[in-house]
Amino acid sequence: MGALSEAKARNPLVVAIILITLATTAVIVRLLLRKKKKIAFAADDYSMMLELFFKYGLLGLEIASMSSNGALWAAAFLIRVGVGRYTADVTPPQVVIALKIMLPIETLYGMSMSTVKCSILLFFLRIFVTRSFRVAARVCMVISVCWGMSVILEGFLLCRPLALNWDPTIKATCGDRHSAFVAAGALNMATVIMVLLLPIPTV
């Protein structure tokens, strides 16, 4: 079983699989109902499908590797390179691979989160017609897209050269990564709350 026998490594993967299964089911049911009622797909439907594509990209970075005997199984790739495991059990090459994988993960995370917020806001725009609400929804959409872009740029520009992200021996400059991650998470939560509260005054 290897790393998958460790709860700290295995549990996040299990949760991710369960959640993406539920999300996929919800999107499929939504699309089938629209097709059954002969309602054309709208922008929020397409953006939701795009968000699901990004989610599978994130999961794809964690899933599908080979076991030691060569049989294909759902082993977490990030777990295999050390994430969720004790430091003593992780080799330097594994750390380098894990840190390199963090860049595409950050990129897909930013695109996924901003896309799902835009999908919700596009849905709101279909059902709420007041001018003030529509302006506020578009402003929220711009803020969400800007947040996603900032997360992507943060991953590629915070440390220069880029290799400093996985090789701390390089003599270069790097911003405060801890503060950047905390700020990105706080702003993400703020935009989520903003989107959820937006329709309340209208309702």
Side-chain angles (χ1 to χ4, degrees):
M1 292 295 290
L4 287 176
S5 63
E6 300 171 19
K8 288 184 178 180
R10 180 185 66 248
N11 292 348
L13 177 63
V14 173
V15 172
I17 293 174
I18 292 173
L19 291 179
I20 200 169
T21 301
L22 292 174
T24 303
T25 303
V27 171
I28 291 174
V29 171
R30 170 179 172 168
L31 297 179
L32 288 176
L33 288 175
R34 290 183 71 85
K35 185 177 181 180
K36 183 178 180 180
K37 294 183 177 181
K38 297 181 179 180
I39 301 175
F41 293 162
D44 54 312
D45 297 308
Y46 289 112
S47 58
M48 186 61 70
M49 286 187 279
L50 180 62
E51 190 276 336
L52 197 60
F53 174 78
F54 293 147
K55 277 289 191 292
Y56 273 103
L58 282 168
L59 192 64
L61 291 172
E62 301 178 9
I63 299 289
S65 75
M66 293 286 187
S67 66
S68 57
N69 60 7
L72 184 63
W73 64 313
F77 184 63
L78 278 179
I79 294 172
R80 295 290 294 276
V81 297
V83 174
R85 299 165 65 182
Y86 292 105
T87 304
D89 298 329
V90 181
T91 64
Q94 287 177 315
V95 174
V96 171
I97 295 174
L99 292 176
K100 286 182 177 180
I101 293 173
M102 287 304 297
L103 287 176
I105 284 180
E106 286 182 35
T107 300
L108 287 171
Y109 169 73
M111 292 191 294
S112 174
M113 293 302 297
S114 59
T115 304
V116 72
K117 293 170 195 172
C118 286
S119 178
I120 295 171
L121 291 167
L122 287 168
F123 172 73
F124 287 163
L125 288 172
R126 285 202 294 115
I127 60 178
F128 296 107
V129 297
T130 58
R131 185 178 182 276
S132 59
F133 180 90
R134 297 179 72 83
V135 170
R138 289 189 174 95
V139 170
C140 290
M141 202 177 304
V142 171
I143 293 174
S144 297
V145 171
C146 290
W147 173 86
M149 292 175 61
S150 71
V151 171
I152 297 171
L153 292 174
E154 170 196 310
F156 288 94
L157 300 179
L158 189 64
C159 296
R160 306 301 300 170
L162 189 63
L164 186 61
N165 285 283
W166 58 82
D167 186 359
T169 63
I170 297 176
K171 293 183 179 179
T173 58
C174 189
D176 189 339
R177 282 182 281 195
H178 176 74
S179 297
F181 293 155
V182 171
L187 290 173
N188 178 45
M189 184 59 67
T191 54
V192 169
I193 294 173
M194 177 178 63
V195 171
L196 293 177
L197 294 180
L198 186 62
I200 292 180
T202 305
V203 175

